[in-house]
């Protein structure tokens, strides 16, 4: 079968499309899935370019969507022909985070082989059903960025109608957060350095937009746009260089969902300002399988579909990563075959 592999030192120029042995028939408790799509996340890029070291010959990509081709003995949750999507933390099935919930040892495309391959055989509980009627590339956006937005807003943030959400940027998580929040009756403020992208965000329902290049004090502006009392939730994808503004934007008693490190992995936090806001910074990484099932159910009910910027063919995975690096995308980048 065809698959991409990442060398131990990484590098987009060293991603190799190769032939690997077919994984064969599923054993007891397993399913065989023909993978048809994956989507790109920042974590995948870090593995591919070598910023996150991994085992030599690792098959990358955390997100995988496809069709069940065979089921092993004892599998009752899936049938041949079902459309399925992978789980980011297959070891975290339900409940609160535990010791393994933050470990990447079994995360596809990191500590374990991922989904840049034509076929996989995995335990059945490493997957959930995909939303009804979604194309494979749409389903592939669900595993990482989609579930992250869902958990941040709904599971941890307890989003309710009338709340105001501030989403930073126009990548996959933030655009999904915009869609979810609007479907639940919330107001959304979104930021970008591109007026063109902000116009697209408005077309998707954003109530207010802020260009952070022309308005460097965007946290203060967001606070005022939220009725002069701040936003209930911030989808914080930047990290240390944006946190101070996010704290400025949040209301007293609000929540900042720390889900990204686009500006670095450590920095200074204005702790006095955070204390004054009595706000909560909730660090989170994706979610568990039960939360993914709940998210799929919500998508089936609302009829929402993910925003996909561009779909690349399988053999163009390195080019897809370079497009991701450019920062030109709006929403998700996918690879389908």
């Amino acid at each position: 079968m065809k698959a991409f592999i990442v060398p131990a030192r990484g590098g987009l120029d060293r991603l190799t499309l190769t032939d690997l042995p077919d994984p064969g028939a599923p054993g007891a408790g397993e399913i065989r899935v023909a993978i048809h799509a994956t989507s790109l996340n920042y974590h995948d890029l870090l593995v591919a370019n070598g910023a996150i070291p991994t085992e030599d010959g690792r098959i990358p990509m955390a997100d995988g969507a496809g069709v069940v081709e065979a089921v092993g003995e004892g599998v009752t949750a899936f049938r041949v022909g079902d459309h399925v999507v992978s789980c980011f933390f297959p070891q975290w099935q339900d409940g609160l985070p535990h010791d393994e919930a933050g470990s990447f040892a079994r995360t596809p495309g990191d500590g374990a082989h991922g989904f840049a391959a034509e076929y996989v055989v995995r335990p059945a509980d490493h997957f959930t059903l995909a939303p009804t009627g979604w194309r494979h590339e749409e389903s592939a956006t669900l595993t990482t960025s989609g579930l992250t937005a869902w958990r941040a807003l709904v599971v941890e943030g307890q989003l309710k109608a009338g709340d105001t959400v501030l989403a930073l940027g126009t990548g996959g998580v933030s655009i999904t957060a915009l869609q979810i929040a609007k479907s639940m009756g919330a107001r959304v403020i979104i930021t970008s350095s591109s007026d063109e992208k902000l116009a697209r965000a408005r077309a998707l329902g954003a109530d207010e937009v802020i260009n952070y290049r022309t308005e460097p004090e965007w946290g203060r502006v967001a606070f005022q746009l939220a009725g002069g009392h701040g936003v209930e939730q911030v989808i914080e994808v930047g990290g240390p260089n944006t946190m101070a503004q996010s704290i400025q934007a949040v209301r007293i008693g609000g929540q900042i969902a720390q889900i990204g490190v686009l500006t670095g992995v450590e920095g200074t936090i204005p702790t006095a300002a955070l204390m004054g806001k009595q706000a909560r910074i909730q660090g989170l990484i994706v979610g568990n399988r039960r939360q993914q099932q709940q998210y799929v159910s919500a998508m089936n009910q609302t009829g929402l579909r993910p925003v996909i910027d561009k779909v690349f063919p399988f053999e163009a995975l390195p080019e897809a990563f370079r497009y991701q690096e450019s920062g030109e995308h709006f929403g998700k980048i996918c690879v389908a075959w």
Side-chain angles (χ1 to χ4, degrees):
M1 70 169 183
K2 297 291 186 183
F4 272 97
I5 58 173
V6 180
R9 292 184 289 112
L12 298 186
D13 292 333
R14 302 175 68 216
L15 277 175
T16 303
L17 182 60
T18 188
D19 285 303
L20 295 178
D22 187 279
E30 295 180 331
I31 58 176
R32 175 185 169 96
V33 180
I35 300 298
H36 289 293
T38 186
S39 75
L40 277 64
N41 302 287
Y42 188 57
H43 179 260
D44 299 306
L45 176 61
L46 295 181
V47 171
N49 67 19
I52 295 178
T54 189
E55 181 178 302
D56 188 52
R58 173 68 72 228
I59 299 173
M61 309 310 291
D63 300 353
V67 180
V68 176
E69 288 196 331
V71 299
E73 181 183 353
V75 174
T76 59
F78 302 107
R79 296 178 297 178
V80 172
D82 281 344
H83 287 209
V84 295
V85 60
S86 61
C87 296
F88 188 89
F89 286 126
Q91 71 274 25
W92 185 17
Q93 292 285 302
D94 197 1
L96 296 173
H98 49 75
D99 287 349
E100 287 193 1
S103 168
F104 293 95
R106 294 169 63 186
T107 294
D110 190 329
H113 283 314
F115 295 102
E118 292 181 297
Y119 306 99
V120 300
V121 172
R122 303 283 166 84
D125 61 8
H126 287 203
F127 294 86
T128 69
L129 289 171
T132 303
W134 281 26
R135 302 188 309 274
H136 293 304
E137 57 265 36
E138 292 177 316
S139 297
T141 70
L142 191 149
T143 296
T144 303
S145 66
L147 181 55
T148 298
W150 173 261
R151 181 183 168 203
L153 291 174
V154 180
V155 179
E156 306 291 349
Q158 297 294 297
L159 183 70
K160 60 184 183 299
D163 285 353
T164 300
V165 173
L166 170 63
L168 307 191
T170 55
V173 176
S174 293
I175 293 301
T176 303
L178 164 62
Q179 293 177 287
I180 293 171
K182 292 303 297 181
S183 75
M184 297 181 67
R187 297 181 69 250
V188 178
I189 304 168
I190 203 158
T191 70
S192 174
S193 62
S194 164
D195 287 336
E196 179 184 355
K197 290 182 178 180
L198 291 175
R200 295 178 67 182
R202 274 201 185 275
L204 284 174
D207 298 277
E208 304 286 354
V209 298
I210 306 172
N211 187 316
Y212 62 79
R213 288 201 186 278
T214 58
E215 185 48 77
E217 293 295 315
W218 50 265
R220 175 187 56 79
V221 174
F223 184 93
Q224 293 301 323
L225 289 173
H229 55 66
V231 304
E232 277 74 21
Q233 295 196 49
V234 181
I235 302 299
E236 169 56 82
V237 300
N241 290 350
T242 54
M243 181 58 71
Q245 291 294 318
S246 291
I247 291 172
Q248 189 170 13
V250 77
R251 71 172 301 159
I252 291 177
Q255 172 176 296
I256 300 170
Q258 179 60 59
I259 62 176
V261 290
L262 295 178
T263 67
V265 296
E266 60 182 28
T268 301
I269 293 178
T271 51
L274 179 63
M275 290 168 59
K277 287 294 182 75
Q278 300 184 60
R280 177 165 63 117
I281 299 177
Q282 171 69 58
L284 59 87
I285 303 175
V286 196
N288 62 44
R289 184 171 185 259
R290 177 62 62 84
Q291 291 162 356
Q292 181 163 309
Q293 291 171 320
Q294 293 167 346
Y295 178 41
V296 170
S297 295
M299 294 302 97
N300 285 335
Q301 290 295 318
T302 62
L304 290 176
R305 307 292 278 261
V307 176
I308 297 176
D309 182 283
K310 188 176 290 190
V311 179
F312 289 80
F314 183 51
E315 61 273 12
L317 179 61
E319 287 70 30
F321 275 124
R322 292 187 182 94
Y323 182 59
Q324 181 185 20
E325 283 186 318
S326 75
E328 295 178 4
H329 58 288
F330 180 95
K332 292 295 293 180
I333 304 167
C334 296
V335 172
W337 57 98

